[in-house]
Protein backbone atom coordinates (compact mmCIF):
# COMPACT_ATOMS: atom_id res chain seq x y z
CA UNK A 1 0.00 0.00 0.00
CA UNK A 2 1.54 3.28 -1.05
CA UNK A 3 1.11 6.53 0.83
CA UNK A 4 -0.47 8.84 -1.71
CA UNK A 5 -1.77 11.35 0.86
CA UNK A 6 1.17 13.67 0.28
CA UNK A 7 0.68 13.57 -3.48
CA UNK A 8 -3.10 13.70 -3.87
CA UNK A 9 -4.56 17.03 -4.86
CA UNK A 10 -7.64 17.95 -2.88
CA UNK A 11 -10.79 19.69 -4.13
CA UNK A 12 -9.32 23.20 -3.97
CA UNK A 13 -6.07 22.23 -5.67
CA UNK A 14 -3.78 22.10 -2.62
CA UNK A 15 -2.02 18.97 -1.47
CA UNK A 16 -1.58 18.25 2.25
CA UNK A 17 2.11 19.08 1.82
CA UNK A 18 1.27 22.48 0.36
CA UNK A 19 -1.10 23.19 3.26
CA UNK A 20 1.23 22.08 6.05
CA UNK A 21 4.76 22.92 4.83
CA UNK A 22 4.73 26.63 3.92
CA UNK A 23 7.53 28.84 5.24
CA UNK A 24 5.54 30.49 8.05
CA UNK A 25 2.81 29.62 10.54
CA UNK A 26 0.32 32.16 9.20
CA UNK A 27 0.24 30.27 5.91
CA UNK A 28 -0.15 26.96 7.74
CA UNK A 29 -3.10 28.44 9.65
CA UNK A 30 -4.62 29.66 6.39
CA UNK A 31 -4.18 26.21 4.88
CA UNK A 32 -6.01 24.63 7.80
CA UNK A 33 -8.82 27.20 7.91
CA UNK A 34 -9.55 26.62 4.22
CA UNK A 35 -10.22 22.90 4.74
CA UNK A 36 -13.94 22.42 4.20
CA UNK A 37 -14.40 18.65 4.09
CA UNK A 38 -13.42 15.68 6.19
CA UNK A 39 -11.66 13.89 3.31
CA UNK A 40 -9.19 16.75 2.92
CA UNK A 41 -8.77 17.01 6.68
CA UNK A 42 -8.03 13.29 7.00
CA UNK A 43 -5.44 13.54 4.23
CA UNK A 44 -3.74 16.40 6.08
CA UNK A 45 -3.76 14.49 9.37
CA UNK A 46 -2.26 11.46 7.62
CA UNK A 47 0.41 13.64 6.01
CA UNK A 48 1.30 15.31 9.31
CA UNK A 49 1.43 11.97 11.15
CA UNK A 50 3.67 10.49 8.45
CA UNK A 51 6.03 13.45 8.32
CA UNK A 52 6.43 16.13 10.96
CA UNK A 53 4.13 14.89 13.76
CA UNK A 54 3.84 18.42 15.17
CA UNK A 55 1.44 18.34 18.11
CA UNK A 56 0.39 21.96 17.63
CA UNK A 57 -0.56 21.37 13.98
CA UNK A 58 -2.42 18.17 14.84
CA UNK A 59 -4.40 20.10 17.49
CA UNK A 60 -5.32 22.74 14.93
CA UNK A 61 -6.48 20.00 12.57
CA UNK A 62 -8.52 18.44 15.38
CA UNK A 63 -10.14 21.82 16.11
CA UNK A 64 -10.93 22.24 12.41
CA UNK A 65 -12.52 18.77 12.35
CA UNK A 66 -14.79 19.83 15.21
CA UNK A 67 -15.77 22.96 13.32
CA UNK A 68 -16.56 21.00 10.16
CA UNK A 69 -18.66 18.50 12.13
CA UNK A 70 -20.62 21.29 13.84
CA UNK A 71 -21.33 22.93 10.47
CA UNK A 72 -22.72 19.65 9.16
CA UNK A 73 -25.13 19.23 12.09
Amino acid sequence: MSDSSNLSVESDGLTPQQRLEPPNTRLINAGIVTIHDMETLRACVAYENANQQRVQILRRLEDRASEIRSQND
Side-chain angles (χ1 to χ4, degrees), residues 19 30-38 40-41 44 61 64 68:
R19 287 183 187 280
I32 292 172
V33 168
T34 59
I35 297 172
H36 299 293
D37 61 272
M38 292 303 288
T40 301
L41 188 117
C44 289
L61 290 167
R64 185 64 188 137
I68 292 170

Side-chain angles (χ1 to χ4, degrees), residues 4-10 14-18 43:
S4 62
S5 64
N6 59 349
L7 299 176
S8 65
V9 175
E10 305 306 330
L14 294 175
T15 65
Q17 182 179 13
Q18 290 169 319

Side-chain angles (χ1 to χ4, degrees), residues 9-70:
V9 175
E10 305 306 330
S11 60
D12 62 0
L14 294 175
T15 65
Q17 182 179 13
Q18 290 169 319
R19 287 183 187 280
L20 301 175
E21 296 296 335
N24 68 57
T25 56
R26 290 184 358 186
L27 292 174
I28 293 172
N29 290 337
I32 292 172
V33 168
T34 59
I35 297 172
H36 299 293
D37 61 272
M38 292 303 288
E39 181 181 346
T40 301
L41 188 117
R42 285 185 194 105
C44 289
V45 169
Y47 176 83
E48 187 63 24
N49 280 329
N51 293 282
Q52 299 289 332
Q53 299 179 349
R54 296 168 291 189
V55 173
Q56 186 177 15
I57 300 301
L58 290 168
R59 283 188 188 135
R60 289 185 193 149
L61 290 167
E62 182 179 8
D63 290 345
R64 185 64 188 137
S66 296
E67 292 170 5
I68 292 170
R69 286 187 197 106
S70 69

